[in-house]
């Protein structure tokens, strides 16, 4: 799954970059967490079973079943190791330094093998009727069956075995806390037998973007259309049909959808049959799926347009509802066909489904979801108007499409056995999307930008005390959504990039192929991956890599120079700069990758607290070549100055230069270096030529500005003047007109410099932006190039007033392009006038902004002190409504809490946030809140430590009087 709100980045790289301290994962849209289960009368629907794959019957002596059995009551608990799968409530195990608590899992007395799910949505009542028939293997003599349900009304249930009805009216009970329905019956079903469970039910086509839900859109004639769509990951299949909703309980699925004949019905598989059930309705039954987890099941009913290509071995299609230009799906369609063929070759396994559909969903909380054979996307992440969108948007769409298609192997074919292994899905898909993007578009140089993107996101979150290990223990369903973050995605992918560099890419990919082939259609743990990589390489991969996945955090390596050697010492790095001895016990195996004039030595590893290294020719050396390692490096000011000179001489790669700047900025945040030294370092890079390095330069200046948001205005103005002096000459040199000769990177480079210079007060650029804005809003759509639309709008609102605000708001209301609408929505918060701030805040709950998008105007308000204060006041005044609209069962509430609090910088503001939440139930967003508080603490400590230092530097360098 691709989280569209993965970081609070600017809409495109041409906009001013938000400080890394503010980057936070905004996740899925929550939904109400209540359930009503009643025994009501209901009707059944025809079942037509047509197998596509031959079902394999697993004997009850199979080790998978044996390890699930318990000596006591049949309640299953999962731990890291398969041979320790069974746990009781009272037991816990410490493995690799991580405390492994028992998970809330279903009993193991029955094992699901096949589901036939029949659903009929009612668009008038906003409900759906359903029947599920589940084929079960009976692992223990049983008089009860427990499975997951949520917000479903159970009408009746029936248990059958051996062709006989065991119970036609079992007792139905519900545990709201564990979201489980239990069916009790008098006559036992015997161990070793087969059984069937049939349940008839009704559910709500909710508006919370979870389970089987409704999505609305505007038809070309302006009327409202509605469609039924699904989102199951991580634990919302139980909202759509009663099921054993755990990733390790894979089964085969047959789906039947009943709908009006004019509507399109889609599911994971291709259509097996279609039958008329009423004069104007049809029942569409799909072929049986291969073994897969419940969170990958998908179905869609609605009016859809389609384009198709046969450039891949099986049909590939893109669907979109009316009102969207289906031809804007052409880029994603063609890319998908090429990417599937590429992944088949690289991974050595054919895509196993008979088709690949990609669907643009108007209401969608994530960026995309990898449902097997039926990938769903936000409109803006699938449909691309190549003439009307910038280079950064095109790169984003490519990344999302290739991420989701990588999941067809990593996550779908081979699945983690529990959510603590989420990184095996998301880290792999993230790495694979960058790997494939680099092959398809080498001119984009994505591995260079990886250092300022994924690596910095991972290090930013993992530098907080409230971070978590890659393999994070999760017990309850409401904890799972909180780990869809920069650790599982970005740090996970960074670990894979690190091990790929360590083993060599060819060896790494050979290990990946072995892993996929060995565990196809099964479930895995991290150790299974290390084993396959170890077999391919002959190296002890698990011994080296376990530390990185099982422990929180990462080290900073401090370099002390001696006559002919360097002394290295590693300690845990915390952004707050207050690491305690008990938090600094882990020794990481640090791949030093020492760069000298002789090249890069990849064999050196720091696997102890400290060590001394002989270095020949100490005039030039740098650790962590290309920043493939997950650590910061702290040099002396003298060495940093020498590295700056080396950069100018061309001795450092682009990744080295960008990574060195990022390290220096982060180390100043935590007190390892003075902020004045970092500002001087940044100033010395004014002759830099590469986009990625400039991207990090601007980001680090913005990080300082973010921490100093509530400080003396003269200092804040001085920092803005410094950015203007740093960026403006380069912006004017590059210009802000775009031609066909401009490459992908050059377009983004021009856009970024234009935005950074203008938003820091460059009067020439501001004047140009205002002229463009006036012409554009008067109807000349060629006046603003898509690459700089966001920056022009931002300047119009930052330096304008109500007239400009109304123009942008009207643009949002009238544009039919999702990318344009998102740009406008993000920019509205830039306006600082009190009445316009209020108008922006009022917009969020007006019904005019979709729930999936309410974070956008909020994020714009974070760019100035007035907006930051207004956001917190709005959140506290509207807490009950916010909690109801975005309930914490999922994670959008946590994202909004982060947006409304994390840009605070003072102790008084910290205390204000702590006081507000002191008596609140924070279940479901406690991690987000803790990370926000940590971010505030780090800025508070930083500013207290370097307030006078920065003020003096600004004055000495002539940026303030």
């Amino acid at each position: 799954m691709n989280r569209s709100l993965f970081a609070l980045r600017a809409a495109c790289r041409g906009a001013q970059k938000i400080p890394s301290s503010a980057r936070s994962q905004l996740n899925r849209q929550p939904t109400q967490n209540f359930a009503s289960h009643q025994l009501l009368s209901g009707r059944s629907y025809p079942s037509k079973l047509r197998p596509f794959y031959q079902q394999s019957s697993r004997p009850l002596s199979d080790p998978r079943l044996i390890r699930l059995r318990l000596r006591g009551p049949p309640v299953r608990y999962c731990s890291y190791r398969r041979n320790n799968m069974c746990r009781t409530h009272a037991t816990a195990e410490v493995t690799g330094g991580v405390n492994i608590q028992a998970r809330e899992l279903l009993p193991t007395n029955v094992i699901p093998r096949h589901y036939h799910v029949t659903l009929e949505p009612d668009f008038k009542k906003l409900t759906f009727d359903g029947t599920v028939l589940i084929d079960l293997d009976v692992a223990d003599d049983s008089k009860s069956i427990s499975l997951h349900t949520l917000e479903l009304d159970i009408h009746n249930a029936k248990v059958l075995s051996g062709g006989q009805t065991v119970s036609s009216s079992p007792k139905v009970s519900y545990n709201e806390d564990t979201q489980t329905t239990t069916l009790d019956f008098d006559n036992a079903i015997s161990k070793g037998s087969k059984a069937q469970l049939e349940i008839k039910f009704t559910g709500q086509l909710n508006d919370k973007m979870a389970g089987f839900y409704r999505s609305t859109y505007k038809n070309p004639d302006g009327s409202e259309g509605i469609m039924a769509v699904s989102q199951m990951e991580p634990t919302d299949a139980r909202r759509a049909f009663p099921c054993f909703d755990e990733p390790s309980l894979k089964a085969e699925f047959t789906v039947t959808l009943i709908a009006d004949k004019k509507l399109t019905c889609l599911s994971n598989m291709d259509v097996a049959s279609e039958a008329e059930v009423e004069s104007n309705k049809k029942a569409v039954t799909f072929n049986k799926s291969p073994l897969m987890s419940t969170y990958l099941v998908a179905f869609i009913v609605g009016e859809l347009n389609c384009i198709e290509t046969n450039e891949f071995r099986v049909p590939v299609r893109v669907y979109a509802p009316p009102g969207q230009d289906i031809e804007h799906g052409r880029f994603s369609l063609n890319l998908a066909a090429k990417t599937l063929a590429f992944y088949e070759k690289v991974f050595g396994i054919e895509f196993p489904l008979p088709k690949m559909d990609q669907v643009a969903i108007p209401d969608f909380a994530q960026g995309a979801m990898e449902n097997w054979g039926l990938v769903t996307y936000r409109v803006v992440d699938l449909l691309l108007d190549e003439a009307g969108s910038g280079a950064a948007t095109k790169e984003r769409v490519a990344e999302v499409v290739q991420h989701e298609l990588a999941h067809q192997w990593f996550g779908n074919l081979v699945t983690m056995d529990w959510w603590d292994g989420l990184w095996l899905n998301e880290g792999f898909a993230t790495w694979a999307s960058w790997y494939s993007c680099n092959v398809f578009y080498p001119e984009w140089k994505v591995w260079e930008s990886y250092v300022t993107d994924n690596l910095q996101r991972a290090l930013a979150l993992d530098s907080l005390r409230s971070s978590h290990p890659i393999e994070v223990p999760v017990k309850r369903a409401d904890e799972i959504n909180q780990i869809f973050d920069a650790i599982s995605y970005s740090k996970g992918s960074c670990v894979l990039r690190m091990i790929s560099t360590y083993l060599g890419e060819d060896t790494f990919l050979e290990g990946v192929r072995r892993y996929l082939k060995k565990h196809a259609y099964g479930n895995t743990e991290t150790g299974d991956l290390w084993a396959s990589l170890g077999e391919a390489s002959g190296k002890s991969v698990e011994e080296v890599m376990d530390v990185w996945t099982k422990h929180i955090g990462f080290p900073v390596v401090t370099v002390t120079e001696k006559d002919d050697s360097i002394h290295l010492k590693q300690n845990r790095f915390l952004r707050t700069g207050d690491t305690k001895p008990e938090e600094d016990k882990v020794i990481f195996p640090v791949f030093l990758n020492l760069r000298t004039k002789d090249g890069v030595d990849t064999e050196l590893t720091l696997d102890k607290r400290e060590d001394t290294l002989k270095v020949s020719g100490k005039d030039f050396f740098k650790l962590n070549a290309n920043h493939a390692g997950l650590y910061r490096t702290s040099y002396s000011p003298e060495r940093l100055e020498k590295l700056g000179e080396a950069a100018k001489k061309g001795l450092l790669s682009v990744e080295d230069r960008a990574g060195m700047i990022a390290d220096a900025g982060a180390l100043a945040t935590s007190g390892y270096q003075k902020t004045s030294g970092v500002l001087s370092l940044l100033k010395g890079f004014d002759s830099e030529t590469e986009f990625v390095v400039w991207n990090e330069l601007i980001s680090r200046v913005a990080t300082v500005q973010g921490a100093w948001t509530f400080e003396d205005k003269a200092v804040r103005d001085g920092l803005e003047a410094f950015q203007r002096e740093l960026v403006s000459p380069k912006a004017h040199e590059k210009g802000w007109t775009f031609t066909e000769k401009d490459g992908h990177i050059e377009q983004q480079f021009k856009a970024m410099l234009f935005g950074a210079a203008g938003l820091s007060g460059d009067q020439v650029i501001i004047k140009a932006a205002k002229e463009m804005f006036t012409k554009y809003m008067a109807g000349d759509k060629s006046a603003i190039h898509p690459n700089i639309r966001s920056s022009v709008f931002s300047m119009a609102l930052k330096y304008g007033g109500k007239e400009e605000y109304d123009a942008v708001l009207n643009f949002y209301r009238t544009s039919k392009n999702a990318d344009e609408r998102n740009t406008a929505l993000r920019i509205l918060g830039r306006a600082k006038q009190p009445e316009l701030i209020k108008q922006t805040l009022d917009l969020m709950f007006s019904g005019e902004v979709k729930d999936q998008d309410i974070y956008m105007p909020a994020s714009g308000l974070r760019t100035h002190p007035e907006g930051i204060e207004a956001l917190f006041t709005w959140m506290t005044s509207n807490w009950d409504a916010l909690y109801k609209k975005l309930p914490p069962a999922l994670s959008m509430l946590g994202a909004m809490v982060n947006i409304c609090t994390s840009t605070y910088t003072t102790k008084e503001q910290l205390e204000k946030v702590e006081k507000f939440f002191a008596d609140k139930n924070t279940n479901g967003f406690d991690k987000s809140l803790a990370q926000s508080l940590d971010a505030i603490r780090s800025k508070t400590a930083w500013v207290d430590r370097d307030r006078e230092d920065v003020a003096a530097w600004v004055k000495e360098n002539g940026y303030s009087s």
Side-chain angles (χ1 to χ4, degrees):
M1 181 160 57
N2 195 301
R3 298 288 183 165
S4 67
L5 320 179
F6 200 170
L8 295 178
R9 294 182 285 177
C12 69
R13 289 192 176 115
Q16 186 173 10
K17 194 167 183 179
I18 292 170
S20 60
S21 60
R23 296 171 186 160
S24 63
Q25 173 90 8
L26 302 186
N27 298 326
R28 289 188 41 213
Q29 177 76 17
T31 184
Q32 283 188 306
N33 187 12
F34 71 92
S36 58
H37 291 254
Q38 304 169 13
L39 289 174
L40 305 171
S41 61
R43 60 179 176 137
S44 62
Y45 303 113
S47 264
K48 295 186 180 179
L49 300 173
R50 178 178 164 187
F52 183 77
Y53 288 85
Q54 183 65 37
Q55 182 172 351
S56 62
S57 178
R58 185 178 283 115
L60 292 177
S61 59
D62 185 287
R64 286 187 67 208
L65 297 183
I66 292 173
R67 78 167 189 263
L68 292 175
R69 293 180 190 156
L70 294 172
R71 297 176 183 174
V75 181
R76 179 163 56 92
Y77 294 93
C78 175
S79 76
Y80 271 88
R81 295 293 163 218
R82 288 194 173 122
N83 58 354
N84 290 320
M85 179 69 78
C86 303
R87 300 260 159 237
T88 65
H89 278 96
T91 60
E93 177 187 4
V94 176
T95 302
V98 180
N99 189 26
I100 309 305
Q101 298 291 341
R103 273 75 171 180
E104 288 183 355
L105 301 180
L106 293 168
T108 59
N109 58 318
V110 295
I111 308 295
R113 296 302 182 197
H114 176 267
Y115 296 77
H116 190 151
V117 181
T118 303
L119 297 173
E120 180 179 4
D122 186 327
F123 291 118
K124 292 181 180 178
K125 296 180 180 177
L126 301 180
T127 62
F128 59 91
D129 291 326
T131 299
V132 63
L133 183 66
I134 310 174
D135 297 329
L136 305 166
D137 283 350
V138 183
D140 290 295
D141 293 343
S142 301
K143 288 188 176 182
S144 70
I145 298 173
S146 294
L147 72 172
H148 292 110
T149 61
L150 183 59
E151 297 183 2
L152 297 177
D153 292 332
I154 305 298
H155 298 299
N156 56 60
K158 186 187 297 183
V159 181
L160 306 98
S161 183
Q164 302 294 317
T165 299
V166 176
S167 175
S168 59
S169 57
K171 177 186 175 184
V172 180
S173 59
Y174 187 65
N175 185 322
E176 187 171 355
D177 187 50
T178 60
Q179 301 175 356
T180 54
T181 289
T182 299
L183 308 173
D184 292 293
F185 38 91
D186 295 331
N187 299 319
I189 47 178
S190 302
K191 175 181 176 179
S193 65
K194 305 285 185 181
Q196 285 189 318
L197 173 61
E198 183 179 22
I199 301 175
K200 299 173 185 178
F201 57 95
T202 299
Q204 301 296 314
L205 278 178
N206 68 74
D207 61 353
K208 303 301 180 184
M209 295 176 280
F212 197 30
Y213 70 93
R214 67 184 186 269
S215 178
T216 59
Y217 56 89
K218 286 285 183 67
N219 284 305
D221 64 3
S223 63
E224 185 176 82
I226 186 171
M227 56 194 295
V229 301
S230 65
Q231 170 58 42
M232 308 304 193
E233 190 181 28
T235 58
D236 287 308
R238 63 192 69 178
R239 294 180 188 270
F241 59 97
C243 58
F244 298 77
D245 200 11
E246 296 166 8
S248 65
L249 295 177
K250 288 190 170 185
E252 296 167 318
F253 292 84
T254 302
V255 172
T256 297
L257 299 175
I258 299 175
D260 289 349
K261 289 181 179 179
K262 67 177 182 178
L263 300 180
T264 298
C265 297
L266 300 174
S267 189
N268 304 85
M269 298 296 291
D270 55 347
V271 174
S273 65
E274 184 175 314
E276 185 177 295
V277 292
E278 295 176 19
S279 60
N280 64 336
K281 288 196 171 185
K282 61 184 177 182
V284 181
T285 298
F286 299 86
N287 279 309
K288 185 165 64 176
S289 77
L291 286 170
M292 66 181 188
S293 302
T294 50
Y295 78 85
L296 295 169
V297 177
F299 17 78
I300 295 174
V301 177
E303 189 177 348
L304 295 167
N305 297 319
C306 175
I307 52 176
E308 180 175 346
T309 180
N310 294 312
E311 290 300 309
F312 180 55
R313 191 173 41 77
V314 301
V316 179
R317 305 181 188 94
V318 166
Y319 290 87
Q324 298 292 338
D325 186 343
I326 189 62
E327 283 301 319
H328 289 169
R330 190 67 63 179
F331 173 78
S332 296
L333 178 73
N334 295 331
L335 178 62
K338 291 187 291 185
T339 300
L340 287 167
F342 174 73
Y343 284 158
E344 283 191 337
K345 181 179 179 181
V346 172
F347 301 146
I349 297 177
E350 286 192 347
F351 174 67
L353 271 65
K355 55 88 179 177
M356 169 52 70
D357 294 336
Q358 302 181 101
V359 188
I361 307 297
D363 297 271
F364 201 71
Q366 303 84 337
M369 176 61 207
E370 66 267 19
N371 315 300
W372 217 356
L374 181 57
V375 181
T376 45
Y377 297 80
R378 277 194 178 210
V379 172
V380 73
D381 286 321
L382 180 65
L383 305 185
L384 176 70
D385 178 2
E386 293 196 69
S389 298
T393 302
K394 183 175 183 178
E395 188 171 326
R396 162 72 184 176
V397 171
E399 176 195 342
V400 174
V401 169
Q402 295 189 304
H403 179 107
E404 301 310 317
L405 297 183
H407 272 309
Q408 307 303 301
W409 285 263
F410 298 105
N412 299 7
L413 181 67
V414 180
T415 312
M416 75 272 154
D417 73 350
W418 181 243
W419 295 102
D420 53 12
L422 176 66
W423 86 278
L424 289 169
N425 285 15
E426 300 301 349
F428 249 124
T430 302
W431 177 87
S433 68
W434 289 76
Y435 173 75
S436 56
C437 197
N438 184 61
V439 172
F440 281 46
Y441 305 103
E443 70 277 11
W444 292 5
K445 300 180 180 179
V446 294
W447 285 124
E448 291 181 358
S449 61
Y450 187 96
V451 171
T452 59
D453 191 310
N454 272 297
L455 178 60
Q456 299 313 317
R457 273 205 294 247
L459 296 177
L461 178 52
D462 214 25
S463 66
L464 297 178
R465 185 171 274 110
S466 48
S467 181
H468 61 81
I470 289 177
E471 293 185 81
V472 55
V474 286
K475 177 183 176 183
R476 295 170 50 86
D478 62 5
E479 297 173 348
I480 296 168
N481 263 290
Q482 295 196 73
I483 65 169
F484 282 84
D485 61 9
I487 300 301
S488 298
Y489 286 73
S490 295
K491 188 180 180 183
S493 73
C494 288
V495 164
L496 294 173
R497 176 173 174 256
M498 185 166 62
I499 194 66
S500 173
T501 302
Y502 172 63
L503 299 178
E505 189 174 276
D506 291 341
T507 302
F508 173 75
L509 288 173
E510 174 57 29
V512 167
R513 285 188 284 270
R514 293 187 185 197
Y515 167 78
L516 290 171
K517 289 176 182 177
K518 183 175 182 178
H519 301 288
Y521 303 103
N523 296 85
T524 62
E525 296 170 330
T526 298
D528 297 313
L529 172 62
W530 300 152
S532 293
L533 292 174
E535 290 170 8
S537 65
K539 295 184 178 181
S540 301
V541 173
E542 183 165 11
E543 182 181 332
V544 174
M545 299 308 298
D546 256 6
V547 178
W548 289 104
T549 60
K550 285 182 165 49
H551 294 278
I552 190 173
F554 63 90
V556 53
V557 175
T558 302
V559 180
T560 305
E561 299 186 37
K562 300 183 178 179
D563 292 338
D564 60 348
S565 64
I566 56 175
H567 181 263
L568 309 177
K569 183 179 181 181
Q570 64 163 291
N571 298 95
R572 182 180 172 188
F573 178 80
L574 282 178
R575 199 191 306 176
T576 43
D578 58 350
T579 307
K580 301 171 185 175
E582 61 269 24
E583 297 172 319
D584 193 21
K585 293 182 178 179
V586 177
I587 302 297
F588 290 90
V590 178
F591 302 138
L592 294 174
N593 291 324
L594 177 66
R595 184 187 294 280
T596 64
K597 289 182 178 178
D598 298 326
V600 178
D601 188 339
T602 60
E603 298 299 316
L604 298 171
T605 302
L606 179 64
D607 55 4
K608 56 186 74 170
R609 174 67 67 189
E610 48 191 311
D611 204 356
T612 299
L613 200 64
K614 293 281 186 181
V615 177
S616 59
K618 258 178 52 186
D619 286 345
F620 168 65
F621 74 89
K622 182 187 176 297
L623 296 179
N624 202 8
N626 297 325
H627 286 254
L630 267 167
Y631 61 97
R632 301 285 190 194
T633 308
S634 178
Y635 300 101
S636 66
E638 295 76 18
R639 176 54 57 183
L640 265 181
E641 186 176 342
K642 289 181 179 179
L643 285 171
E645 292 301 316
K648 293 178 181 178
K649 295 176 183 177
L651 296 176
L652 298 180
S653 68
V654 172
E655 295 94 323
D656 280 334
R657 303 198 300 275
M660 179 180 73
I661 292 166
D663 280 0
L667 291 166
T669 303
S670 59
Y672 279 82
Q673 297 173 4
K674 300 298 287 184
T675 306
S676 58
V678 174
L679 292 171
S680 295
L681 176 70
L682 300 179
K683 189 175 183 180
F685 270 83
D686 56 353
S687 60
E688 175 60 49
T689 59
E690 295 295 325
F691 162 68
V692 168
V693 183
W694 271 103
N695 192 4
E696 193 59 37
L697 285 168
I698 294 168
S699 175
R700 290 299 157 181
V701 175
T703 302
V704 179
Q705 289 175 309
W708 263 255
T709 295
F710 292 93
E711 294 305 301
D712 181 72
K713 188 175 185 302
V715 177
R716 287 189 284 128
D717 289 346
L719 289 171
E720 186 173 272
F722 166 54
Q723 176 172 313
R724 184 168 62 250
E725 182 188 85
L726 181 68
V727 177
S728 284
K730 198 72 176 178
H732 287 273
E733 174 193 325
K734 289 284 184 182
W736 43 88
T737 57
F738 298 84
T739 69
E740 293 182 359
K741 294 181 181 179
D742 291 331
H744 180 81
I745 293 177
E746 184 69 5
Q747 291 182 55
Q748 295 181 78
F749 201 175
K750 286 183 175 181
M752 178 185 66
L753 293 168
F754 173 83
L759 289 168
S760 60
D762 185 307
Q763 292 302 313
V764 174
I765 287 179
I766 292 170
K767 181 182 177 184
K770 286 182 175 181
E771 291 172 353
M772 292 182 211
F773 183 81
T774 300
K775 292 178 182 177
Y776 190 84
M777 291 305 175
D780 181 4
K781 297 308 178 186
S782 66
I784 303 177
H785 193 278
N787 282 318
I788 57 173
R789 184 189 300 126
S790 175
S791 294
V792 170
F793 282 19
S794 294
M795 282 179 249
L797 265 65
K798 180 175 181 178
Y799 303 113
K802 188 174 187 330
E803 181 181 347
E804 290 80 7
Y805 184 94
D806 288 344
V808 173
L809 181 58
N810 183 63
F811 179 79
Y812 166 73
R813 289 170 171 164
T814 57
S815 174
K816 306 235 185 292
N817 181 294
D819 185 29
E820 291 178 349
R821 286 169 54 82
N822 285 356
T823 297
L825 200 56
R826 285 188 176 97
I827 298 311
L828 287 172
R830 288 261 182 191
K832 299 179 183 180
Q833 295 86 337
E835 68 276 11
L836 299 181
I837 290 175
K838 182 180 184 305
Q839 193 171 348
T840 300
L841 292 168
D842 290 344
L843 190 66
M844 293 196 287
F845 278 5
S846 66
E848 192 173 348
V849 176
K850 285 182 176 288
D851 287 353
Q852 66 176 14
D853 296 330
I854 66 169
Y855 77 95
M856 292 184 187
S859 61
L861 288 163
R862 292 157 52 94
T863 60
H864 48 85
E866 299 87 348
I868 293 169
E869 289 287 11
L871 261 179
F872 184 76
T873 301
W874 172 86
M875 182 194 73
T876 56
S877 300
N878 294 276
W879 179 253
D880 290 343
L882 185 65
Y883 194 90
K884 183 178 180 181
K885 191 176 187 67
L886 307 176
L890 304 176
S891 53
M892 187 83 174
L893 181 61
M896 286 300 294
V897 167
N898 187 286
I899 285 176
C900 294
T901 60
S902 65
T903 36
Y904 270 159
T905 66
T906 70
K907 290 179 181 177
E908 294 76 19
Q909 291 167 336
L910 175 66
E911 291 169 359
K912 190 162 58 171
V913 176
E914 290 175 326
K915 182 179 179 181
F916 177 76
F917 286 105
D919 60 350
K920 302 291 187 295
N921 180 359
T922 61
N923 288 345
F925 66 93
D926 54 306
K927 280 187 172 62
S928 294
L929 177 59
Q931 290 163 7
S932 184
L933 293 172
D934 271 354
I936 301 170
R937 292 185 189 105
S938 73
K939 286 179 284 186
T940 298
W942 181 15
V943 174
D944 284 350
R945 185 174 56 245
D946 279 1
R947 179 179 285 110
E948 299 306 321
D949 177 60
V950 170
W953 186 89
V954 167
K955 187 173 184 179
E956 288 167 7
N957 283 271
Y959 300 118
S960 70
S961 54

